[in-house]
Amino acid sequence: MAERGPASFAIGPAAQASSQRHRPVDAGPAPIPAWEALAELKSWLRDAREACAAAPPEAAKAAEWVLDNDYQIHRAIRQIGQDLPPSFYRALPALDERGHGLPRIFAIAHDLLRATHLQLSLASAIRFVRAYQRHSPLTIAELWALPTMLRIACIEIVASALSPLLGGRVPPPFEASPWAVDPHSLDETERVARGIANLGLVAAIPWNEFFEATSRVEEMLRDDPAGHYLRMDFETRDRYRRAVEEIGRWSGRDEIGTAQAAIRRARDAGADDVGRHVGYWLIGEGRPALEEELGARLPRGTRIGRALLARPGRVYAASLACCALGALLLPGFYLRSLHASSAEWIGGLVTTFIPATILAVTIVHWIITRLVRPRILPKLDCARGLPRDCPTVIAVPVVIADPAEIADLAERIETHWLANEDPMLQVALLADLADAPQENLPGDAAILAALEARINALNRNRGRRRPFHLLVRPRRYNPAQGCWMAWERKRGKLEQFNRLLIEGDKSAFSLHVGDKTALARVRFVVTVDADTILPPASVGKLVGTLAHPLNQARFDPETGRVVAGYSIIQPRTEISPGSGRRTLFTRLFTGDTAIDIYSRAVSDIYQDLFGAGIFVGKGIYDLRAFHRSVDGRVPENTILSHDLFEGAHARAGLATDILLY
């Protein structure tokens, strides 16, 4: 990001001069005239285009810039309206009367444009803001507001320069701020050209990089004693920074001091304590203690919301009871109008009880989804690959009755690998032969030979890595079922696979094709059915979620139950867009298949209210935590649908922003 040109040498001194000149005040900022006139700017742009079409010769070049790039101005106007709502604007620090009471970051935007001679870049913005903050640190809100303020400043510059070129025919609908005057003797045509060009640059600059390179709060949080902060994805880091901003605002302290207090709390925690991670004090269970230390005064709505969420079971049950009773009022009034007898009252209310409870559940869930925000789980960043301490295996449990099924299965597990290819990832096909009246059938040998050949072929195609495995279990006689079958079906497959990974117990499998030593270090298991599609990078997101320190399972030493964190992360599952159009049934139940379903979090009553979701058999589990939670808890031949049971004991978290098909 090296700067070139004579302007680069003036950026640092210009920024420090601005910092020393500015005097922030506690009062809210006065409105920026161009921001107030945002609605009128669209009609001004339309008039300017018409005037440019018949521009005089001396304005021809500027008019050409406007006519060719008016979409840049229109896009900037729309973006300003989206990114600068009044509530956010009021939170920006303002300057004193010498700065006309306008937002400090607005003055900084103009100063930056002047220091760079209207030649903006990511490097120059970072250099200017860093130099400015040597004397006066900027708030989180100010740093995020800079691109919007640059858009407003550029529109001011373009409008104030274009009007005299067109003979004053299209005066701007605002009074230009005092910083809009150019000190470098650029003529009006050059100011119009560079102002419009900067609007395109503002849209292209990666402002996430700018923020993390200039934020003093970010700099503080990177001192996380546990070392996890830098490993997290941007969204989670941003959530931590918003927590700092919020706690600082409620406690009347500056953001840097708030971040330092959180870091100090983390340093005082034990070496193996989850509190060693700064996130425990910002978004985790330690946040109330940090708020109390800093004297935070929570808004009334926040206090009420936390009080209700502290007793979710009681709130949920009471809400259902009230709504159910309310739903029974109408039939009750009707029975009363008929002067019903006692028997008729009992019969009528019993008849309407089930519809009333269904209506109550619908209403309560609808209200909760609008009052409670989706609970998004924090994540480590696995976009560049799985961490070395997170070796993972994708386990695909299947039952095979026909050799014709093998080609599709091999293609599916290869697709899983190709969509999520990583040196720390392996794929295991956990295959059982179909139930039979005897231990061995004549076609078994052909099935096993075809399976082994397919897995060996997949490994040969991968060279030295050999990430594919085949594990086959023999049939055992089950007196409860009266047939020969693999022990405990899918639940048994996963339990015995876990024992193989943890204890090295290979006795449950009669055939293992693949690198037997490669499974020794596995930490996480992604279990999916044969009909499941793993989208690209989905395994990394699942691993990043379960590996985050705030999501790791913590056990009660006396009961052995998971009391915090999760052993399982259940992603959101949808019917694939291709499959969703095949029949009327799938069209009705597929739902939204737009492109943004990959990144959108949705509400789930159980996760949002109770902090735990429902496991439906597709997701990722922490191998050792899951095994510790469910091992030995299920008597043989008692449970067929085991997912709910496992989710209840191992504690499943629902990540609705991660999608499987």
Side-chain angles (χ1 to χ4, degrees):
M1 296 190 297
E3 279 290 323
R4 294 183 178 180
S8 66
F9 299 103
I11 289 178
Q16 294 184 49
S18 297
S19 179
Q20 294 169 354
R21 185 174 64 252
H22 292 166
R23 296 289 182 269
V25 294
D26 293 334
I32 300 171
W35 177 62
E36 273 196 314
L38 207 60
E40 292 82 8
L41 276 173
K42 293 182 180 179
S43 58
W44 169 85
L45 180 60
R46 183 180 60 251
D47 296 341
R49 284 198 302 261
E50 294 176 358
C52 286
E58 61 273 16
K61 289 185 177 180
E64 185 178 353
W65 265 95
V66 173
L67 292 174
D68 289 346
N69 299 278
D70 64 315
Y71 71 93
Q72 297 276 20
I73 304 175
H74 187 273
R75 180 175 63 180
I77 294 171
R78 184 177 66 249
Q79 198 69 42
I80 293 167
Q82 294 174 356
D83 295 346
L84 199 60
S87 58
F88 179 66
Y89 185 89
R90 289 192 296 268
L92 298 174
L95 296 176
D96 61 9
E97 66 276 1
R98 286 175 294 179
H100 303 270
L102 295 174
R104 174 172 61 171
I105 192 63
F106 182 56
I108 291 173
H110 271 291
D111 290 347
L112 170 60
L113 291 172
R114 284 203 305 273
T116 59
H117 293 208
L118 297 182
Q119 293 177 316
L120 186 65
S121 69
L122 173 61
S124 62
I126 291 174
R127 183 175 177 182
F128 187 93
V129 172
R130 280 179 173 172
Y132 186 98
Q133 292 190 103
R134 292 174 188 168
H135 297 282
S136 301
L138 300 178
T139 66
I140 291 174
E142 286 181 297
L143 292 175
W144 282 123
L146 180 59
T148 303
M149 295 302 174
L150 286 169
R151 289 186 173 98
I152 298 176
C154 288
I155 289 176
E156 276 194 346
I157 291 169
V158 170
S160 59
L162 183 64
S163 181
L165 282 173
L166 298 176
R169 293 165 54 192
V170 282
F174 55 81
E175 181 181 351
S177 63
W179 307 295
V181 178
D182 177 58
H184 297 297
S185 299
L186 295 176
D187 62 27
E188 281 83 1
T189 298
E190 190 67 18
R191 294 175 67 200
V192 170
R194 292 191 184 186
I196 293 177
N198 277 327
L199 289 176
L201 289 170
V202 171
I205 287 176
W207 290 105
N208 289 356
E209 294 182 21
F210 162 83
F211 179 90
E212 296 203 326
T214 57
S215 170
R216 297 288 297 277
V217 170
E218 171 73 10
E219 183 180 345
M220 295 288 176
L221 295 179
R222 290 186 176 192
D223 288 334
D224 174 24
H228 293 296
Y229 183 82
L230 281 174
R231 301 178 61 193
M232 300 189 308
D233 64 7
F234 179 85
E235 290 75 15
T236 304
R237 294 197 304 273
D238 194 48
R239 183 177 171 188
Y240 283 26
R241 294 187 294 257
R242 290 199 307 270
V244 169
E245 189 178 22
E246 195 172 59
I247 296 171
R249 183 170 64 251
W250 293 345
S251 60
R253 295 173 179 257
D254 64 88
E255 295 167 353
I256 295 176
T258 303
Q260 288 173 332
I263 292 292
R264 184 172 60 252
R265 282 265 183 173
R267 285 175 179 159
D268 292 341
D272 297 327
D273 192 347
V274 66
R276 187 80 175 163
H277 173 50
V278 68
Y280 178 83
W281 306 100
L282 293 176
I283 68 169
E285 298 169 17
R287 176 163 173 168
L290 178 63
E291 291 173 337
E292 183 178 1
E293 175 191 334
L294 298 178
R297 301 181 62 182
L298 277 62
R300 180 181 300 176
T302 301
R303 293 199 307 271
I304 295 173
R306 288 191 186 179
L308 295 176
L309 290 177
R311 303 170 181 82
R314 296 179 184 178
V315 172
Y316 185 67
S319 301
L320 286 178
C322 291
C323 287
L325 290 175
L328 290 173
L329 288 177
L330 183 60
F333 283 127
Y334 179 70
L335 290 171
R336 182 181 179 184
S337 68
L338 296 178
H339 305 288
S341 64
S342 299
E344 290 171 336
W345 268 92
I346 294 173
L349 293 179
V350 168
T351 302
T352 57
F353 179 75
I354 292 179
T357 56
I358 294 174
L359 180 61
V361 169
T362 302
I363 293 174
V364 169
H365 285 198
W366 182 83
I367 293 174
I368 291 175
T369 58
R370 276 148 183 81
L371 295 181
V372 181
R373 293 180 179 179
R375 190 180 300 212
I376 302 175
L377 300 177
K379 300 173 182 63
L380 300 184
D381 187 3
C382 296
R384 298 183 180 178
L386 302 184
R388 295 188 64 83
D389 60 346
C390 298
T392 302
V393 61
I394 301 172
V396 185
V398 296
V399 176
I400 300 177
D402 191 328
E405 303 171 5
I406 295 174
D408 289 339
L409 287 174
E411 181 180 353
R412 178 56 51 85
I413 65 173
E414 185 178 27
T415 301
H416 291 336
W417 164 258
L418 293 174
N420 299 273
E421 185 174 356
D422 192 278
M424 306 303 295
L425 183 65
Q426 300 171 77
V427 184
L429 184 65
L430 308 182
D432 289 342
L433 297 172
D435 299 359
Q438 59 194 51
E439 183 176 5
N440 297 303
L441 295 179
D444 291 350
I447 293 176
L448 295 177
L451 279 170
E452 185 171 359
R454 282 283 185 173
I455 298 301
N456 284 330
L458 290 177
N459 279 326
R460 282 195 300 271
N461 292 339
R462 303 276 79 79
R464 295 182 180 179
R465 192 167 294 174
R466 301 180 64 204
F468 296 98
H469 299 263
L470 168 67
L471 293 107
V472 181
R473 298 190 302 165
R475 297 187 185 97
R476 294 171 48 182
Y477 184 71
N478 188 322
Q481 297 290 317
C483 68
W484 290 81
M485 54 178 283
W487 181 72
E488 291 289 299
R489 303 189 187 279
K490 179 183 176 182
R491 187 188 71 81
K493 256 197 292 279
L494 291 175
E495 181 174 328
Q496 292 177 327
F497 183 57
N498 293 343
R499 290 189 183 278
L500 168 65
L501 298 177
I502 296 173
E503 304 170 5
D505 183 0
K506 308 174 184 177
S507 60
F509 298 95
S510 57
L511 177 64
H512 182 181
V513 178
D515 184 357
K516 297 178 176 60
T517 62
L519 296 175
R521 295 178 52 249
V522 168
R523 180 181 173 187
F524 299 126
V525 178
V526 178
T527 175
V528 292
D529 295 330
D531 62 349
T532 306
I533 300 173
L534 288 171
S538 56
V539 171
K541 293 178 182 177
L542 289 169
V543 170
T545 305
L546 193 51
H548 191 281
L550 298 184
N551 296 330
Q552 293 175 20
R554 302 195 291 279
F555 290 82
D556 186 315
E558 296 182 1
T559 65
R561 295 181 63 87
V562 180
V563 294
Y566 309 99
S567 297
I568 304 170
I569 296 297
Q570 167 74 55
R572 192 166 99 249
T573 55
E574 301 280 356
I575 299 175
S576 65
S579 302
R581 311 303 299 174
R582 291 179 182 174
T583 66
L584 176 61
F585 179 84
T586 56
R587 285 199 296 271
L588 290 173
F589 284 90
T590 294
D592 188 358
T593 57
I595 194 67
D596 68 337
I597 58 178
Y598 284 103
S599 58
R600 185 183 61 218
V602 300
S603 295
D604 177 82
I605 299 301
Y606 306 104
Q607 180 67 38
D608 299 342
L609 192 60
F610 296 97
I614 295 176
F615 185 45
V616 298
K618 301 174 180 64
I620 185 172
Y621 62 84
D622 184 310
L623 174 61
R624 284 157 184 81
F626 179 80
H627 187 64
R628 176 180 174 182
S629 302
V630 302
D631 185 39
R633 294 185 181 270
V634 184
E636 192 169 347
N637 291 323
T638 55
I639 292 183
L640 179 61
S641 182
H642 53 92
D643 302 330
L644 292 175
F645 178 89
E646 292 168 344
H649 279 272
R651 199 163 191 265
L654 181 61
T656 62
D657 54 340
I658 304 175
L659 180 65
L660 303 187
Y661 288 114

